[in-house]
Amino acid sequence: MHYNIWLMTTDISITIKPGDEKNKAIIDSEIMRALAKKGISAKKEEIISVFIKKSIDARHAQIKLILRYKVYIGEEPNGDGEFLPVWKKADGKHTVLIIGTGPAGLYAAFRLLEKGIKPILIERGSCTDERKKDVDALEKEGKLNAESNFCFGEGGAGTFSDGKLYTRSNKRGDIGKIYRIFVEFGASEKIMTDAHPHIGTDKLPGIISGMRNKIIELGGEFKFDTLCTDLIVEKISSSQETVIKGIRTKNLKTSENSSITAEAVILATGHSAPDIYKMIAKISPSSLEAKTFAVGVRVEHPRSLIDSIQFHGKSMPQAAEYRLTTQVEERGVYSFCMCPGGFVVPCATAENQIVINGMSASGRNSQWSNAAIVVETRPEDIPYEFQKKATEDGCPALSGLYWRTWLEEETFRQTNSQFAPAQKLTDFLKHKDSTDLGESSYKPGLVASRLDQWLPKEICSRLEQAFKDFDKNMHGFVCDDALLIASETRTSTPVRILRNKEDLECIGIKNLYPCGEGSGYSGGIGSSAMDGEKVAAKICEKFEK
């Protein structure tokens, strides 16, 4: 059936060869062909096509580019996703405390400012300029600042560890709005159209600083190097409800203690702040629940090898990505946070830990590519000793957190420094020592270690089988040049802070709004930003009643 429709909007996808994406004649021809396949008859001059997304199909020897367009026939584009929200100067009528300045915290602040509500943002870490010095000291000297590092500080964990924006959680909010705000403060317009958008750790600090300056210009406040030491709550006798009234803080530079009150408190503290869970556990242990998370290692290959596998030996201008997943002994094992042309970085938040993560600069042009390979870990998988301790401490939901901390400390015990334990992938599978680790992007340095002997056996056995499965899909993935670096433990939080579905308040503490990765309701920059917006919108609704 053919449609002769004067006013119409439709989405189409076209497939072209690499190098043809700037050839307007080929693009126009393929758009007309795609419309014809859908039974749509229109003249070329009646059509306006708006580019939406680009992705690469490298599954076969012939690499293809897939371009998505929104096509307007006989009408003008409506401008969806093109406009910034209107922010207002804070009028002082209402104040909201936001603990954490990651994407959830920053986007919550911007959402509050759409209604002129004043945000006060509390951050245990330093601002981006000072934080960069702390990150450099950790990488170059192994000197850890436990409060300002790859995980803690202005912008959250993503600022100095990659800035990947890809999310499958588009139904949770307007991801286009999230991207548009990033572009407003300096991100490339490409993030609006790339299938797997990425800002890069070399660009993000400046973007985050610009966001901070705008929030301050609109009347918001930031308190850096300020640790939340306790939640100020009050029990309402008439209803027996616990209500948060504010927080207690400590300035980490001056050691000054203070109290800050507010009408609502947003928790946007990320996945690396166990002290926050323990504060909630003291007040309302039933507000926490154990959740599934994942732990494992980071695998690093020469970038040229991954590019050759994924692009079938052909040259491409960008570094190749991969996504791998399998099932082993009823648990998922999968790649996470794949960093093409990237680096492996140290992300500990305590002196006696080793935590590994990956990052890429905007150009994704280092000589290595890496990814976490992690094993699904359910609450029932946590060893009994940690479940017992959490129960004795009055909050069984903390068992996974205790076990995660143990694993990070066990990793540290292998080297007693920020040098990370590592093993060649082939040696891991053969259960043998690695005599020569070769080069790595991990700046503090590596120490040869029998990961196959000291990592939890349930993790090791599943990783072994998964690597064999992955090599079938990506032949050459298992090779002498591949390194395993331990341990990758912060893919997500092992604890969820329960909240009401209607108003998004913590179920046991009124006026407390958990959001972002630390709440257990999102993962990554995009979904955390949307979750922060969603929580802030609920607070706005409450103030308007």
Side-chain angles (χ1 to χ4, degrees), residues 182-210:
F182 273 123
V183 170
E184 170 67 12
F185 291 101
S188 167
E189 284 274 358
K190 288 173 63 179
I191 69 171
M192 301 296 297
T193 55
D194 283 353
H196 292 169
H198 168 260
I199 295 177
T201 193
D202 52 332
K203 304 291 186 185
L204 259 173
I207 292 167
I208 297 299
S209 295

Side-chain angles (χ1 to χ4, degrees), residues 483-528:
L483 278 179
L484 301 186
I485 306 173
S487 291
E488 177 93 21
T489 56
R490 306 279 179 94
T491 60
S492 66
T493 172
V495 186
R496 177 174 288 113
I497 306 172
L498 297 173
R499 61 191 190 190
N500 295 314
K501 291 182 179 180
E502 295 76 22
D503 55 22
L504 303 184
E505 284 182 321
C506 174
I507 63 166
I509 308 174
K510 286 191 68 65
N511 295 337
L512 179 67
Y513 294 83
C515 68
E517 284 203 33
S519 69
Y521 288 96
S522 69
I525 292 173
S527 61
S528 292

Side-chain angles (χ1 to χ4, degrees), residues 105-126:
L106 289 172
Y107 277 81
F110 277 123
R111 184 67 180 83
L112 293 171
L113 286 165
E114 290 182 38
K115 298 294 183 180
I117 297 169
K118 178 177 180 175
I120 301 177
L121 293 98
I122 311 297
E123 174 56 59
R124 71 198 300 160
S126 300

Side-chain angles (χ1 to χ4, degrees), residues 266-536:
I266 295 176
L267 271 184
T269 47
H271 55 38
S272 293
D275 50 341
I276 295 296
Y277 300 123
K278 291 172 184 177
M279 287 178 204
I280 294 174
K282 282 194 307 180
I283 299 166
S284 177
S286 61
S287 295
L288 302 177
E289 75 171 6
K291 63 178 280 290
T292 296
F293 61 114
V295 298
V297 296
R298 192 155 280 265
V299 60
E300 182 173 62
H301 291 83
R303 173 189 161 187
S304 58
L305 187 148
I306 296 298
D307 289 356
S308 179
I309 293 172
Q310 292 297 85
F311 296 143
H312 310 285
K314 294 180 173 62
S315 177
M316 293 288 285
Q318 68 266 49
E321 299 181 52
Y322 62 79
R323 181 167 174 257
L324 298 166
T325 183
T326 189
Q327 283 280 321
V328 182
E329 299 169 12
E330 300 181 327
R331 294 291 181 269
V333 186
Y334 53 91
S335 61
F336 177 84
C337 183
M338 197 271 147
C339 300
F343 305 88
V344 181
V345 294
C347 289
T349 52
E351 289 289 348
N352 60 343
Q353 301 172 344
I354 287 181
V355 179
I356 299 303
N357 199 357
M359 55 147 279
S360 299
S362 57
R364 289 182 160 176
N365 54 5
S366 89
Q367 67 187 78
W368 296 278
S369 289
N370 68 77
I373 304 295
V374 290
V375 178
E376 176 189 3
T377 303
R378 299 177 185 174
E380 60 266 30
D381 299 334
I382 303 303
Y384 173 73
E385 62 186 287
F386 301 101
Q387 296 189 39
K388 182 173 181 287
K389 177 173 168 37
T391 301
E392 290 172 348
D393 289 347
C395 187
L398 297 179
S399 62
L401 184 66
Y402 290 172
W403 181 74
R404 185 183 79 174
T405 301
W406 167 84
L407 181 55
E408 292 165 355
E409 292 174 350
E410 183 66 17
T411 307
F412 181 84
R413 282 190 281 270
Q414 308 306 311
T415 68
N416 287 308
S417 70
Q418 284 302 313
F419 282 67
Q423 188 176 17
K424 285 188 173 182
L425 173 50
T426 48
D427 292 337
F428 177 80
L429 295 177
K430 293 175 183 176
H431 303 279
K432 59 180 282 191
D433 293 320
S434 293
T435 56
D436 178 17
L437 293 175
E439 292 187 55
S440 170
S441 67
Y442 185 75
K443 288 183 180 178
L446 302 177
V447 174
S449 175
R450 288 290 300 274
L451 273 57
D452 60 297
Q453 290 184 337
W454 61 265
L455 282 173
K457 62 180 182 179
E458 296 82 2
I459 302 298
C460 278
S461 64
R462 290 184 171 104
L463 285 175
E464 281 190 41
Q465 183 57 52
F467 284 126
K468 294 171 185 176
D469 292 348
F470 296 160
D471 196 56
K472 294 175 184 175
N473 294 325
M474 284 182 66
H475 186 62
F477 188 88
V478 174
C479 63
D480 286 341
D481 289 330
L483 278 179
L484 301 186
I485 306 173
S487 291
E488 177 93 21
T489 56
R490 306 279 179 94
T491 60
S492 66
T493 172
V495 186
R496 177 174 288 113
I497 306 172
L498 297 173
R499 61 191 190 190
N500 295 314
K501 291 182 179 180
E502 295 76 22
D503 55 22
L504 303 184
E505 284 182 321
C506 174
I507 63 166
I509 308 174
K510 286 191 68 65
N511 295 337
L512 179 67
Y513 294 83
C515 68
E517 284 203 33
S519 69
Y521 288 96
S522 69
I525 292 173
S527 61
S528 292
M530 288 189 289
D531 202 48
E533 274 212 330
K534 185 164 67 173
V535 159

